[in-house]
Amino acid sequence: MALYTMDRLEIAGGWINGYDLIPLPLGDPGEPRRVLDRILLGHLNRTPCLVAFSGGRDSSALLAAAVALARREGLPLPVPITLRYPAAPESDETAWQDAVLAHLGVTERIVLTVDDEHDPVGPIAAAVLRRHGLVWPPNFAPTWRMMDAARGGVLLTGEGGDEVFGLKRITPLTKVLKARGRVRASVFPDAARALAPARVRRRAALRNRHQRPWLRPAAAELLAELDAADAAAYELHAGRHAWQFTTRRCARLGYQSVRTLGSELDCRYVQTFAEPDFVAAIARAAGFWGWSGRTATMRDVFGDLLPREVLERRTKATFTGAVFTERTRAFAREWTGRGVDHELVDAQALRDGWLSARPPAPSMTLLQQAWLATAR
């Protein structure tokens, strides 16, 4: 399976826009947990079977479902694998990890400590970039490292959970409908915006565009139009909105690319919550109105597996500081502007971003493009 080759605008903007025309399957795929069990059963008999486990809601739910199924079927328990970033305290989830593992009665685990190995131009990324050129998504190094630990087996991840379980266009309306008068006033404007026609939602998306200060004005406008068109395409039907995640080119091509990289390591890579059968089951269960939010979805689907405080947690770790390290800044200080498309990119603004306290994540592909040009 070949890796996707990004075009010049996708590289400059750090994103792949658009949807593929993949219809939602007809018929009843089954209740989401039963479908999830069918997917997991096809992987639990592989050795090693590792579950990427950060302690967040998605990875906790995936680990809990896999452990419960393995016990029912008399299979070896999957092993959670965790990345720890001592230099990035905002990414620390140790307390949540310990609570989930204690609840599940899981004692075997793998913990990998990360210094600067996962930098976009660090040693893992550099080796892959030299072999393949640019890869989508650019932040593949953490997954590569976990797949390396799963050689000969499988790595199960909760990637896709944010999109499948998260807020949908119709969610504010569903909150109003199900709250029976007990709803915050701020929800009503959101509900009105959800009912607005596509052209109005597109204009709103343009006003709240993603800022990419390194782009030339014409490129920034074009990418803002593409982003707004994607946002305006969200369906009001909750189930079909969930299915749209499966058809997004950025998600589908990223999944394809990482599976291809996994094959080099003799590792099967699985984004369990992004598997089409599971997404179709969630879409069917959601129907038109869906759930009243992500927490309600997690409680309904995984309420028998995890404590309420895990399913209802509001906090979420951030990893930007764990990805860009001194390696990025050292490269940026010496960079002469070579390698990027100067018709689309302001090299000085790009360099300033890389040298800032929080380098912008969408500039990661440009960073790797510039590094490749210099390395070669």
Side-chain angles (χ1 to χ4, degrees), residues 81-313:
I81 180 169
T82 300
L83 302 173
R84 289 248 174 100
Y85 299 85
E90 70 276 10
S91 69
D92 182 52
E93 298 263 65
T94 304
W96 288 104
Q97 293 162 11
D98 292 346
V100 170
L101 293 177
H103 174 79
L104 298 178
V106 172
T107 56
E108 183 182 0
R109 69 184 303 193
I110 298 171
V111 178
L112 303 177
T113 301
V114 183
D115 181 19
D116 60 359
E117 299 93 332
H118 299 172
D119 190 280
V121 293
I124 297 173
V128 174
L129 292 170
R130 287 181 185 277
R131 286 198 305 276
H132 296 291
L134 295 179
V135 173
W136 176 262
N139 187 25
F140 56 80
T143 304
W144 174 274
R145 194 166 175 207
M146 290 188 287
M147 292 192 300
D148 192 25
R151 283 177 183 263
V154 60
L155 175 67
L156 305 174
T157 80
E159 291 291 327
D162 282 342
E163 293 81 1
V164 174
F165 303 133
L167 300 180
K168 305 296 183 290
R169 176 183 161 193
I170 201 172
T171 301
L173 289 165
T174 305
K175 287 182 177 180
V176 171
L177 178 71
K178 295 186 176 182
R180 298 177 183 175
R182 300 184 305 275
V183 63
R184 294 193 307 271
S186 60
V187 174
F188 291 98
D190 293 337
R193 283 189 287 270
L195 291 171
R199 66 180 183 278
V200 175
R201 290 182 286 111
R202 179 180 162 277
R203 286 200 297 268
L206 281 172
R207 288 194 300 271
N208 299 297
R209 68 181 64 184
H210 298 296
Q211 296 302 315
R212 299 176 175 102
W214 61 90
L215 291 179
R216 303 289 185 191
E221 286 299 319
L222 179 53
L223 278 165
E225 291 282 354
L226 293 173
D227 290 342
D230 283 354
Y234 293 150
E235 298 214 28
L236 189 61
H237 187 288
R240 290 201 289 267
H241 188 165
W243 179 253
Q244 281 180 295
F245 166 67
T246 301
T247 71
R248 288 193 312 167
R249 294 180 67 245
C250 61
R252 189 179 61 79
L253 294 170
Y255 192 3
Q256 173 184 307
S257 293
V258 181
R259 280 186 294 181
T260 300
L261 294 179
S263 67
E264 296 181 7
L265 297 167
D266 188 26
C267 171
R268 184 180 297 175
Y269 172 71
V270 183
Q271 290 183 359
T272 320
F273 296 146
E275 285 291 293
D277 286 352
F278 181 72
V279 181
I282 288 290
R284 171 88 176 191
F288 182 84
W289 292 102
W291 289 270
S292 60
R294 181 182 172 94
T295 295
T297 309
M298 299 296 285
R299 280 200 306 254
D300 192 35
V301 179
F302 301 108
D304 61 319
L305 295 177
L306 290 167
R308 290 178 65 93
E309 57 267 25
V310 174
L311 296 173
E312 298 177 2
R313 63 174 290 195

Side-chain angles (χ1 to χ4, degrees), residues 32-54:
R33 280 283 297 283
R34 291 184 181 275
V35 174
L36 180 61
D37 283 351
R38 287 202 301 269
I39 294 170
L40 291 172
L41 197 56
H43 303 296
L44 286 172
N45 57 359
R46 292 176 66 89
T47 304
C49 177
L50 305 186
V51 177
F53 175 61
S54 68

